[in-house]
Amino acid sequence: MPLLRRSRDEGSADEAASRASDDADRSRLSQAATQLVRRLVDLGIDGAGPLAPAAEAAEAARRKHADVDDAIDALVSSSTRSAAVGGFVTGLGGFVTLPVALPANLLGYYVIATRTVAGTAALRGYDLSSEQVRSAVLLVLADEDGGALLSKFGLAGPGGLVTRLARKQLNGPGLAVLNKAIGFQLLSRLGRSGLSRLGRGLPLAGGVLGAGLDAYALRRTAKAARAAFPLRRGVAGEVAGGAAR
């Protein structure tokens, strides 16, 4: 009987330890998702160090091109080149530098993609200081190739993302929950992207493959951004500080 009791006690202890480990893993994942979203907003939208805010990049493109769509084309072309260069450089080292280069490239790519989506939104007349617009930018990154996250939050349907967010009346805590869900999805995609890019193991060939993958992904994201942020009425002149017209 004591042996049976001890066995049950040990089983309970193992289950408790397993639950504690699972809770710790979920907590770490939650923190990672929040930090990823914060970094993308800080670097991709607000800018930091040598990175100018996305609204300023949009203004620079708008000054060179009278037509909004031409300005977006120029912004996307510049971003695609940056993504391709980043993919090429981080793929050049092969398997020797892969453990360090791959995470750096993936984060760098998503910063460029965030700036591209945010710049498109600004050029189409959306205020990048709006929390709803920021969430819409992140949603494009997380869901440009599927509607699962949009459906989960009741955001699927016609119209731009900002309109759908306003219709759903998501703000404050609701947007925080949405942003964390976006972070989880981006982390999942980062993991899948890392596995798919192991072909970069060969020097030079890996660089060419990395450049092609990142350029293709950036163009897909840019296409999704155009659909998510239709031109707002009255947007005809320059983009002033990224403010909505």
Side-chain angles (χ1 to χ4, degrees):
M1 197 66 164
L3 287 176
L4 180 59
R5 184 181 300 113
R6 187 161 55 248
S7 176
R8 288 176 177 171
D9 290 343
E10 289 173 354
S12 298
D14 289 342
E15 291 175 3
S18 178
R19 285 196 298 271
S21 177
D22 290 343
D23 289 343
D25 288 342
R26 282 194 291 269
S27 177
R28 283 192 291 268
L29 186 59
S30 177
Q31 291 175 2
T34 300
Q35 289 172 1
L36 175 60
V37 167
R38 186 178 298 122
R39 292 195 71 180
L40 291 180
V41 169
D42 289 346
L43 297 175
I45 298 179
D46 293 334
L51 282 176
E56 290 186 10
E59 288 178 23
R62 190 68 179 87
R63 283 195 295 269
K64 295 178 181 178
H65 302 276
D67 183 77
V68 170
D69 283 338
D70 288 344
I72 293 174
D73 287 341
L75 185 69
V76 172
S77 294
S78 175
S79 298
T80 302
R81 288 193 296 272
S82 296
V85 169
F88 181 78
V89 171
T90 54
L92 274 179
F95 281 121
V96 175
T97 60
L98 194 63
V100 175
L102 190 54
N105 168 250
L106 289 173
L107 179 60
Y109 166 78
Y110 273 109
V111 169
I112 293 172
T114 303
R115 287 174 61 78
T116 305
V117 177
T120 298
L123 285 166
R124 289 282 177 85
Y126 296 83
D127 183 359
L128 294 184
S129 68
S130 162
E131 293 302 320
Q132 288 186 332
V133 172
R134 289 169 180 248
S135 291
V137 168
L138 297 171
L139 267 169
V140 173
L141 297 181
D143 222 64
E144 80 274 10
D145 59 354
L149 194 58
L150 296 177
S151 297
K152 181 178 179 180
F153 282 85
L155 296 171
L161 278 178
V162 177
T163 300
R164 282 178 266 167
L165 281 167
R167 191 184 304 136
K168 194 68 178 176
Q169 296 184 332
L170 276 181
N171 50 44
L175 286 177
V177 172
L178 174 61
N179 290 347
K180 181 168 287 189
I182 294 170
F184 280 125
Q185 184 149 332
L186 288 176
L187 285 176
S188 175
R189 181 170 296 165
L190 284 169
R192 294 196 305 272
S193 297
L195 290 175
S196 69
R197 297 173 186 218
L198 291 178
R200 298 183 182 189
L202 296 176
L204 188 58
V208 174
L209 176 62
L213 285 172
D214 286 355
Y216 172 74
L218 199 286
R219 284 193 291 268
R220 282 192 55 165
T221 299
K223 182 179 179 180
R226 292 176 189 265
F229 296 99
L231 187 69
R232 303 194 78 170
R233 290 182 181 178
V235 178
E238 73 281 355
V239 178
R245 303 292 198 280

